[in-house]
């Protein structure tokens, strides 16, 4: 599984939203910005700003990749639940497809607020809610249930996205804007579908029989070929002010 390609794919899904939110939050005038959970650097490599860009991740191999893809960023190994920065360090702090994987997301958001200066901005750019996933045709509905169960088995909270705004409000962050990313995957490219299936096969290995996975993959390919495939996972964002 090429995780950088996967993160690049996810970054493409949110590109328009990121550009909009970063402009509104004043990234071009920021002195310092931090991505919590920067992975291989797919998002921070795309930032065009004079600000000092920082990235944090607990996975050292992925952080090593980030040093290649985002060489100008200042990267740190650390835990989102105890950020290794002083209070009020950053003008903008953000995360991207992270909080569903964190065992205590409220604490992670509280830490993001702590390291952000008063009047600064905290953004969660994308958190999905797999409990509301839609698969069409109906014959593909089991695929969504399998993936949701696999995420939960890996330690994720597949439905966290629906509680994202509530989490920000609970820790005292003023919500400026929130909503769902208006994106459907019924126009995904062939390459995106191949990447998605690489993730699916990795997630389901050991929990679903190989022949059942391949049968579902064949149904998926046939639905795309007929123009009938719909895959939609509501994905939420929040822009908040400290």
């Amino acid at each position: 599984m090429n995780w950088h390609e996967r993160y690049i794919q996810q970054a493409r899904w949110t590109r328009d939203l990121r550009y909009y939110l970063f402009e509104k939050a004043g990234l071009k005038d920021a002195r310092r910005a931090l991505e919590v959970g920067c992975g291989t650097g797919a998002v921070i490599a795309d930032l065009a700003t004079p600000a000092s860009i920082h990235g944090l991740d607990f996975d050292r191999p992925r952080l090593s990749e980030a040093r290649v893809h985002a060489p100008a960023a200042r990267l740190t190994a650390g835990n989102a639940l105890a950020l290794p920065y002083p209070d009020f360090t950053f003008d903008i702090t953000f995360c991207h497809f992270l909080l569903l994987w964190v065992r205590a997301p409220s604490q992670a958001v509280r830490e993001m607020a702590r390291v952000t200066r008063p009047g600064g901005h905290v953004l969660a750019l994308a958190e999905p809610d797999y409990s509301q996933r839609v698969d069409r045709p109906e014959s593909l509905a089991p695929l969504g249930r399998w993936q949701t169960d696999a995420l939960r088995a890996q330690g994720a909270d597949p439905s966290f996205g629906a509680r994202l705004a509530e989490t920000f409000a609970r820790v005292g962050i003023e919500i400026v804007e929130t909503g769902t990313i208006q994106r459907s995957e019924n126009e995904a490219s062939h390459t995106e579908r191949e990447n998605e299936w690489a993730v699916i096969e990795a997630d389901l290995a050991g929990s679903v029989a190989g022949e059942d996975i391949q049968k579902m993959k064949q149904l998926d390919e046939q639905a795309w070929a007929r123009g009938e495939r719909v895959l939609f996972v509501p994905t939420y964002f929040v822009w908040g002010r400290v």
Side-chain angles (χ1 to χ4, degrees):
M1 178 68 206
N2 186 328
W3 282 107
H4 185 62
E5 284 298 320
R6 175 59 169 175
Y7 297 148
I8 287 288
Q9 180 183 27
Q10 291 178 326
R12 282 197 297 268
W13 295 344
T14 63
R15 181 180 292 130
D16 290 346
L17 174 69
R18 291 200 317 275
Y19 289 175
Y20 164 77
L21 290 177
F22 284 149
E23 179 181 1
K24 291 294 185 180
L27 180 62
K28 64 181 176 60
D29 298 319
R31 295 171 300 162
R32 287 181 295 274
L34 167 69
E35 181 182 10
V36 179
C38 65
T40 61
V43 172
I44 54 177
D46 187 44
L47 294 181
T49 173
S52 173
I53 301 300
H54 297 247
L56 175 135
D57 205 282
F58 76 96
D59 189 307
R60 291 179 182 274
R62 292 181 188 175
L63 205 58
S64 295
E65 281 195 64
R67 291 190 172 93
V68 175
H69 301 300
R74 300 183 181 185
L75 303 175
T76 301
N79 191 328
L81 300 180
L83 295 175
Y85 307 101
D87 296 357
F88 315 145
T89 300
F90 301 99
D91 300 293
I92 296 174
T93 305
F94 65 95
C95 62
H96 187 262
F97 285 105
L98 171 73
L99 296 173
L100 78 158
W101 293 103
V102 177
R103 62 176 173 80
S106 292
Q107 174 62 17
V109 174
R110 187 176 291 109
E111 277 291 280
M112 291 171 68
R114 177 186 66 78
V115 302
T116 306
R117 65 167 176 79
H121 303 273
V122 179
L123 302 99
L125 296 170
E127 296 294 338
D129 178 7
Y130 278 85
S131 71
Q132 300 300 315
R133 172 170 166 155
V134 175
D135 284 275
R136 296 285 185 273
E138 187 62 28
S139 58
L140 287 162
L143 184 59
R145 294 194 292 271
W146 293 348
Q147 271 197 288
T148 300
D149 290 343
L151 286 169
R152 190 173 291 111
Q154 293 173 60
D157 181 347
S159 62
F160 174 73
R163 303 193 304 279
L164 179 60
E166 174 190 347
T167 300
F168 267 54
R170 190 186 305 125
V171 303
I173 297 174
E174 175 194 353
I175 295 177
V176 179
E177 188 169 347
T178 186
T180 58
I181 299 172
Q182 298 302 308
R183 177 186 174 277
S184 174
E185 296 188 29
N186 58 359
E187 297 180 356
S189 70
H190 179 69
T191 299
E192 286 182 318
R193 298 201 301 270
E194 287 183 337
N195 289 340
E196 187 68 25
W197 269 101
V199 174
I200 291 170
E201 290 173 335
D203 282 349
L204 301 185
S207 63
V208 178
E211 57 266 29
D212 291 336
I213 297 173
Q214 293 308 309
K215 178 181 178 181
M216 200 63 64
K217 185 175 183 180
Q218 185 176 35
L219 289 173
D220 180 68
E221 291 171 347
Q222 291 170 350
W224 282 109
R226 295 193 303 268
E228 298 176 356
R229 183 65 168 116
V230 174
L231 168 56
F232 177 68
V233 180
T235 303
Y236 294 80
F237 72 90
V238 171
W239 162 25
R241 183 180 294 113
V242 178

